[in-house]
Amino acid sequence: MRKYFVSGVGPGEAGASRFFMNIEHIARSKGYSILYPYTHKSLRGLWVRSPSLAIAQMFNQVVGRISFYLKLLFVCNSTIFMMHPQGIGFLFSMLLIGRNKEIRYYVLDNSYFCLRSYNYHKKGGECMKCVGFESAPYSDCRSFPGFRMKIIHRAFMFYLKKNLGKITFYCQNKKQIELLELHFGLPVSSQLVGMLASDTRFEQAAEFSSSAKFIDGIDGIDGIDALGEFLVFHGSQDSAKGIDLSLKLAEQTPKVNFVFPFSKPKNVSPSNNCVFIPCRWESGLNELVERALGVLCLSQWSAPVEGALIKSLYFNGAVIVSDTRFGFSSEIPNGLTLKVNENTGSELLSKFMKDESGRQRMIAGSKKWISTYSKSVMLENMFDES
């Protein structure tokens, strides 16, 4: 029987794309054919370099997606390893599930019940409104990434439940399995395999980049030293990732600099202790994380094992996380992270900054724990014969 690894994201620099690159070679070694729409490149970054490069990439994306869909039409009676169904397209995901014999579904995010993929809403933080099929999304919920019709997403949810008998969910953490079963209302076939991005394998020493060119006169090591004591935000500008909470904490903690690895968002008036330094992991963020007093990984959705959190625990050890019900951070033993919310954040953060001995105990404990965790990840199991 033929075997296919079908992913809605291809290789690239984004988090999901990095993970794709980490497991693609495992799938190939197990005899899987690999199908994905296109290689991810930042259109904004290409446009800055040359508009013609960005236009060429947009053309490649259109051609790549058409080719991807044509190939999917001929996939049937096979074993399918599926990842990122919203990127595949919910209609084509349903087609794959219906026409094939065995479905292996890696649960990368919460698109199986949440239109936004990240189940966060400004009305209540970690949002459970659409868990269990009884409620529709809020009127202001928009699909992410890209446009998806709400009715098609809801059809996908029901189609998953109808076909649970042929689906095995490969999960990143225990809470993810709990959330799946809460949503579907019955036990599901699942395996706990974990998650590591390609740059979070810890057997080899990390090599840090010193070539970062930072804005506002901040350049390399000297620039970082000029920041004094600082916390660094490790995440994207999405509200679900905690950017709004981080800006609020910065305003409430004026004596400490807060560093953000991107340009200042539009329509934001940050406090004077906020510093915006556009950089990626390879071009300065790694260095910022290592040198910071602590790292803000404040995802407010039911986040599974995020690469940002894993890397922050390993390369820094003093990590501030959101206090969520189903997030992976809730599974980390007490005392190894600082758990905060909108009401307790500033007070707990102030105490954290003053307690150097407590911070060092946290660092020692979290680094020991994350090294043990990395050895428990079993991604190879996803592609083994049944």
Side-chain angles (χ1 to χ4, degrees):
M1 186 165 59
R2 293 291 306 269
K3 299 181 292 186
Y4 293 90
F5 174 11
V6 183
S7 174
V9 294
E13 296 179 339
S17 295
R18 290 172 184 261
F19 179 68
F20 170 86
M21 293 188 291
N22 192 33
I23 62 174
E24 177 190 14
H25 72 280
I26 302 175
R28 289 189 189 279
S29 70
K30 301 284 187 175
Y32 279 76
S33 299
I34 315 297
L35 298 177
Y36 59 89
Y38 51 81
T39 298
H40 179 270
K41 295 180 181 178
S42 170
L43 291 175
R44 182 181 299 177
L46 289 174
W47 188 268
V48 171
R49 290 168 55 193
S50 169
S52 61
L53 290 176
I55 293 171
Q57 174 62 13
M58 286 188 282
F59 176 78
N60 289 337
Q61 289 182 3
V62 172
V63 173
R65 186 163 289 279
I66 292 172
S67 174
F68 174 64
Y69 286 153
L70 289 174
K71 292 174 183 176
L72 293 186
L73 291 174
F74 294 95
V75 176
C76 60
N77 298 320
S78 301
T79 293
I80 304 297
F81 179 87
M82 175 187 295
M83 187 175 83
H84 208 268
Q86 64 272 50
I88 297 170
F90 291 127
L91 287 175
F92 275 91
S93 294
M94 288 188 280
L95 182 69
L96 286 170
I97 293 170
R99 297 177 65 193
N100 290 280
K101 295 184 177 181
E102 180 187 6
I103 306 298
R104 302 182 177 198
Y105 184 139
Y106 185 79
V107 190
L108 194 62
D109 52 41
N110 294 335
S111 63
Y112 64 92
F113 76 84
C114 178
L115 181 69
R116 297 188 69 247
S117 301
Y118 303 154
N119 59 310
Y120 165 81
H121 195 275
K122 58 186 178 182
K123 291 183 179 179
E126 186 180 16
C127 179
M128 298 289 134
K129 189 173 188 294
C130 296
V131 173
F133 299 90
E134 294 183 4
S135 299
Y138 289 108
S139 59
D140 61 345
C141 281
R142 298 292 181 267
S143 60
F144 181 84
F147 173 75
R148 305 286 184 273
M149 292 179 64
K150 291 183 180 180
I151 191 171
I152 300 300
H153 175 255
R154 195 155 183 83
F156 173 71
M157 290 167 53
F158 280 96
Y159 202 74
L160 280 177
K161 185 170 185 178
K162 178 183 177 182
N163 288 276
L164 284 178
K166 66 161 74 173
I167 301 174
T168 299
F169 294 96
Y170 290 86
C171 298
Q172 302 179 40
N173 55 301
K174 295 176 183 177
K175 290 289 186 179
Q176 201 170 51
I177 297 175
E178 289 183 27
L179 192 52
L180 278 163
E181 296 187 342
L182 179 64
H183 173 60
F184 289 114
L186 68 167
V188 298
S189 174
S190 63
Q191 284 192 38
L192 183 63
V193 294
M195 193 280 277
L196 284 178
S198 58
D199 44 12
T200 53
R201 292 288 183 180
F202 307 132
E203 288 79 5
Q204 299 178 351
E207 296 181 1
F208 303 114
S209 170
S210 61
S211 62
K213 300 300 179 184
F214 298 148
I215 62 171
D216 296 335
I218 298 173
D219 185 3
I221 295 289
D222 293 338
I224 291 180
D225 288 339
L227 289 171
E229 293 186 342
F230 70 93
L231 300 171
V232 62
F233 174 78
H234 194 177
S236 68
Q237 297 181 46
D238 194 302
S239 295
K241 298 282 189 174
I243 175 65
D244 296 335
L245 178 56
S246 297
L247 290 170
K248 181 179 179 180
L249 289 175
E251 186 176 353
Q252 296 170 341
T253 317
K255 294 183 179 180
V256 179
N257 285 320
F258 283 64
V259 179
F260 298 86
F262 39 74
S263 299
K264 183 176 79 69
K266 296 179 180 179
N267 303 319
V268 168
S269 299
S271 53
N272 292 332
N273 58 332
C274 292
V275 182
F276 296 90
I277 305 175
C279 57
R280 292 185 175 275
W281 184 254
E282 297 83 0
S283 62
L285 179 55
N286 189 325
E287 195 175 4
L288 286 168
V289 166
E290 213 191 20
R291 299 284 295 276
L293 280 178
V295 186
L296 300 159
C297 294
L298 292 174
S299 283
Q300 295 181 272
W301 60 295
S302 305
V305 186
E306 295 178 295
L309 175 57
I310 296 295
K311 287 187 281 190
S312 297
L313 286 167
Y314 186 80
F315 289 104
N316 184 290
V319 183
I320 301 95
V321 300
S322 292
D323 190 3
T324 59
R325 179 183 174 190
F326 286 102
F328 172 65
S329 59
S330 67
E331 298 180 27
I332 300 173
N334 290 333
L336 301 188
T337 60
L338 179 68
K339 294 181 172 67
V340 303
N341 57 44
E342 291 189 0
N343 298 321
T344 65
S346 59
E347 180 181 354
L348 291 174
L349 196 57
S350 296
K351 292 179 180 178
F352 167 81
M353 300 295 290
K354 295 174 183 177
D355 185 7
E356 179 60 23
S357 61
R359 197 175 71 87
Q360 291 301 324
R361 287 194 300 272
M362 178 185 292
I363 291 171
S366 64
K367 288 198 171 189
K368 181 179 180 181
W369 181 85
I370 198 61
S371 295
T372 301
Y373 167 80
S374 70
K375 296 173 184 175
S376 71
V377 176
M378 297 295 179
L379 298 175
E380 295 83 359
N381 292 356
M382 300 187 296
F383 302 102
D384 288 342
E385 295 293 334
S386 300

